[in-house]
Amino acid sequence: PGEDLAMLAACDHVISSTGTFSFWAGWLSKGVVLYYKNFPRKGSPLDKVFQPADAFPEYW
C-alpha cells in the first residue's frame, strides 16, 4: 500500500473514489483530482452529515 500511495502521489492527475486511500493520493499529488460530482446521493443518511469542504479541497 505504501508504494501504491507513493506512485499515485507522484501523478499529475488522480481519479478519486469515495475512499480515504484515494483522498490521500489526490491530496498528496497536488495535481488535478477528479471525483464524484453528486456524492453523496441527495437525501441519503450520509448526505445529512457529510461536509463536502472536509472531503474536497477548493483547489480540486
Side-chain angles (χ1 to χ4, degrees), residues 4-58:
D4 292 339
L5 185 58
M7 181 180 66
L8 287 168
C11 293
D12 292 329
H13 308 296
V14 175
I15 298 173
S16 181
S17 69
T18 59
T20 56
F21 195 89
S22 292
F23 169 84
W24 283 110
W27 190 81
L28 291 169
S29 75
K30 302 283 193 223
V32 175
V33 179
L34 302 176
Y35 58 90
Y36 292 106
K37 180 179 180 182
N38 297 317
F39 177 81
R41 188 181 72 227
K42 300 293 181 201
S44 69
L46 182 57
D47 183 43
K48 295 174 184 172
V49 297
F50 185 73
Q51 299 295 320
D54 292 341
F56 308 124
E58 286 185 23

